Amino acid sequence: MKLFVSFIIFFGTLCGVFGQNISGTILDDDTGEPIENVVIVNTLGNEWSLSDDSGNFLIVLNSNVFELEFKILGKESKVVSSDQIVDSDKLIVRLKDYNLRLEEVTVTAIPKRAKIGSAIVLDAYAVNQVQSYSLSDVLSQLPGQRIGSPSLNSANTLSLRTAFPNATNAFGVAYELDGTRLSNDENMQTYISGANFTEFENVNTGIDLRTIPAENIEKVEVISGIPDAEYGNLTSGLIKIDRKAGITPFRVNANINQGNTSVSVGKGVHLNDRWGDLSLSVDFLNANSDPRNSLTNYNRLTASAIWSTYSKSKSIKNTLSLTLHNNLDDTNYDKDNDDGGRDAQFRKDRGVKISNRFNWKPAANWIDNFNINVGFSYAYQHSYRQSFINDGGKVVPVNLETGLSNGEYTPVAYLMIQETYGQPINFNSKISLDKSLGNDNLVLHNIAAGLNFSFSDNRGRGRAYNPENAHTQVTLRAGGSSLSTGEGIRPLDYGRYVKPRIGVGAYVQDNMTWRWENGRALYSNIGFRYDIQNGFSSYGPRINMGVELLNNFSIRGGLGFASKAPSLAQIFPGDKYFDVLIRDFRTSRYSFNLVQTYKKEIEKQNISPSKSWKYELGANFNPDFGNFALTAYYNHTFDGVASYELREKVAIPEIEFIFNDPAPPSYNIVGQSPFILDYSLSANNLDYIDKGVELYFNSDKIKAINTSFSLMGSYVYSKSTNETELIEPSDDPLEEEYLYGVYARKPVKLDKLNLRATITHHIPELGLLISLSAEQFTFSTSYASVEAIYPVAYINPDLERIAIPVSERSDNRYSSLWRNPNTSKDIRTPTYHNFHARVTKEFLNGVSMSMYVTNFLDYRPIVVINGSEKRTNSPISFGANIQYQF
């Protein structure tokens, strides 16, 4: 950091800084009253300012070429460029109320107004273009996604720019709420070998988007391409969510859609000049879209407070945020089950998030801004599932170490219980500073550097285990082959077993503008980032560039490297247990069993971060009637984390029993036999390639008919490869030499093309908006993968991998390892459509009403896929929203 500061001082002295001061007044367009605390930002630099209580402002700029954006909650943002200003000392800016009385509003996702990159923005009206209970509904409007009725009875995650939604992609999507990073890396709510055991779990994947209410969202920015170097711990993209913070009327908002209802209230007040502004909101959601399944009820309560303060000189602004959440779930019983309604499950999740953003504009020549972001989150999680078992009397192993022991017995009829307790903790911080350096008006540098730190831990009780309520996986049946077992289950205390994961990162970047004499310019964002994640170092560039070829036409491109740390559940999988039932004797006088237990201690796993290289090339065309944007991309994600199988040879005792009726038998160990343990761990073995094209067109409003049009299209081809070999046991139970066959895996390939057109009819005089959207699912293809019939190697009783020469793989001695011929073919889904409608009316008394209809034509065509018929689209769905502001 010292080197960076010295460089800025030296370079600033060498180049000099040329700019000007812009001052003026900001007024309400309707009343003419001054507006305080309007944020003024130079979008071509890093300068910012705030208006005072008289609406006056002063912003010191480092270049004579600039674009000033004036923004405050509840008003339409306004952009004023340098060529529009006649008098730099008497600029008058009038801001209009942001409502349907404006001449134009945007109701779809649109490319961000920027010279480089391919970010997408959804503002307040676009956020509510579909009926949105959570962030998941909002993001269904992105390219390649699908609009549908709210789905709130299972975890919602998001994959970006792929035809193959998967946990690796979703886990690589980073989320920032009000500038502070959210994290799911600490989630360890598993019970059986890393599997989810309720519908609400989302371990080793992305944030559950249901937990972020949509009602309080002001704007969402989605960066699917190359983010700035300041953003780390991601591979797929970045989603930035800004909540409503500022002075607002008291508002009450209610939604209903089938079995889903929500109610929220909010208010933003100005406390006083010293204590600033305070925004409060409370949101409650009850979701039960399928009354036939009472196990998946979902209730969410979220409360937030955002406190913004400003120094008297307006050179410091600080925002403190507090968010409390509780899903309020109690035990949900399956009352229709013939066990008397004793099947049940729940997932309790309550916690707190605290974050603080500090921005300082010091009066120094060598620095423009100094920023500190700090965030802390803690949650208590309790996942539970029970089932009534009526065929009990099974043996339950209880030994916690390797050796022989007697197991316990379950009752004949009992409640089988799985239970996990978690307490995920995350702390993250980021420190950054920046400086603008100019050379007249030809070249402008905005140089920034920063450091970030993250701490992840889970202090929960972990996996619970009670022999009286044992899960069937850990019970052992008498009879059959005694030499067959899966992984057993024992208690696992996360607080003792899990060690904190520390992450450290640093970055430097230069946003440069090189302007030519004809007024056009070259824009670049060149950065470099270094991270230490789980003890592994990674580093690489982040580059975005754009050049204006014509006044209304520009091209852009970029490349970047990024990495994502593995989750705590992947790093700390827990010890492995294997239980073999040697014998189980039951008579009228006694019950006796003998279980051989093997314990495999598993230490912290040295898993490296997942990594990705991204490449983009695009163009923007802005004629008089609208805006076009076209982006082609190529994303390569490698070192993705997935499970792989391991085997270990152990000795199992041979037992001779001595019967002493009526007493239980005694026994002697008379020998040993070989036995193989199978288990799985996580490793960096996944590789993904996603390449495609995205298209946007947004027309200006045709005033004669009060209508605008938009078109969005996405084509993507994806290939997924698991780099570990496939190992399968021999089909012959008597085979003694060729125990396992080893096969080469084939990649999974898919592609899809989706289009979406939206027609918006907006009458500002009436505060009326009517929107119709048509989705075309042009095609999707799952390409056949021809699997190998013959093995490339085999594994012998000593667990040695013996390669099989190509010429010998069809030899009959390996016939027990041959696989059935693969008869799969390409599966192609033909074209079909879906249609949605929205009507919104805003009244002058503060009431706003909206009606949403998903698949409003109730169009459910049957398509033929490889000879089989499939009905597409969900049935028609109605929803309504009412909001009152006063």
Side-chain angles (χ1 to χ4, degrees), residues 15 65 102 123 183 214 247 267 282 284 306 311 386 417 498 527 548 566 682 693 773 815 824 862 876:
C15 296
V65 179
L102 288 174
D123 66 9
S183 176
I247 304 172
K267 172 67 176 174
V282 178
F284 172 75
I306 304 175
S311 65
Q386 71 177 38
I417 293 176
V498 175
E548 296 173 337
S682 295
V693 179
S773 296
S815 60
S824 66
I862 296 176
I876 187 171

Side-chain angles (χ1 to χ4, degrees), residues 208-234:
D208 186 355
L209 302 179
R210 299 176 306 163
T211 61
I212 304 176
E215 192 280 329
N216 203 32
I217 294 177
E218 177 69 11
K219 186 180 74 171
V220 177
E221 180 180 343
V222 180
I223 303 173
S224 302
I226 298 100
D228 288 357
E230 70 170 294
Y231 301 109
N233 202 30
L234 54 84

Side-chain angles (χ1 to χ4, degrees), residues 425-669:
I425 299 171
N426 176 265
F427 173 81
N428 61 84
S429 62
K430 180 169 63 177
I431 300 175
S432 64
L433 55 85
D434 55 65
K435 175 64 180 175
S436 292
L437 303 170
N439 184 358
D440 200 359
N441 292 320
L442 299 180
V443 180
L444 178 65
H445 296 269
N446 296 311
I447 301 177
L451 302 171
N452 69 271
F453 171 84
S454 66
F455 172 94
S456 297
D457 199 3
N458 194 312
R459 310 306 297 169
R461 286 171 49 194
R463 187 168 59 217
Y465 179 79
N466 185 346
E468 294 181 0
N469 305 105
H471 183 262
T472 53
Q473 177 165 328
V474 302
T475 60
L476 302 172
R477 294 178 182 272
S481 173
S482 62
L483 302 183
S484 61
T485 184
E487 290 184 25
I489 293 177
R490 297 295 191 278
L492 177 62
D493 188 335
Y494 295 158
R496 295 182 178 182
Y497 175 64
V498 175
K499 307 301 179 186
R501 191 199 70 188
I502 305 297
V504 179
Y507 74 92
V508 61
Q509 68 181 31
D510 180 11
N511 289 348
M512 186 189 73
T513 302
W514 187 352
R515 194 168 299 277
W516 297 305
E517 293 182 357
N518 61 6
R520 300 184 188 119
L522 168 70
Y523 302 91
S524 69
N525 181 333
I526 301 175
F528 186 86
R529 182 172 183 87
Y530 175 81
D531 285 288
I532 300 176
Q533 300 162 310
N534 198 32
F536 292 85
S537 297
S538 60
Y539 51 87
R542 305 274 182 90
I543 300 173
N544 280 295
M545 302 186 73
V547 58
E548 296 173 337
L549 300 180
L550 301 171
N551 291 334
N552 59 2
F553 180 74
S554 61
I555 59 174
R556 49 188 162 76
L559 63 88
F561 172 85
S563 59
K564 169 67 179 177
S567 71
L568 290 183
Q570 294 166 337
I571 301 172
F572 299 99
D575 296 338
K576 304 290 185 178
Y577 286 87
F578 307 88
D579 303 293
V580 181
L581 180 60
I582 303 297
R583 288 290 187 273
D584 181 16
F585 300 107
R586 305 187 193 188
T587 72
S588 60
R589 289 183 288 273
Y590 65 82
S591 294
F592 176 86
N593 65 75
L594 192 63
V595 178
Q596 171 66 42
T597 296
Y598 299 94
K599 177 184 178 182
K600 176 67 176 177
E601 293 188 0
I602 306 296
E603 302 295 332
K604 174 185 176 182
Q605 300 296 289
N606 290 320
I607 303 174
S608 68
S610 303
K611 306 171 187 69
S612 71
W613 277 99
K614 292 191 169 191
Y615 308 88
E616 266 192 356
L617 185 64
N620 292 75
F621 177 49
N622 303 313
D624 295 337
F625 56 86
N627 303 283
F628 291 88
L630 180 69
T631 303
Y633 59 87
Y634 180 95
N635 301 335
H636 181 203
T637 303
F638 55 101
D639 284 345
V641 180
S643 63
Y644 72 105
E645 296 180 355
L646 294 93
R647 289 162 184 83
E648 183 174 333
K649 186 177 180 181
V650 296
I652 192 167
E654 296 179 353
I655 305 297
E656 180 182 82
F657 290 93
I658 304 170
F659 295 93
N660 304 301
D661 287 342
S666 59
Y667 64 89
N668 294 318
I669 299 176

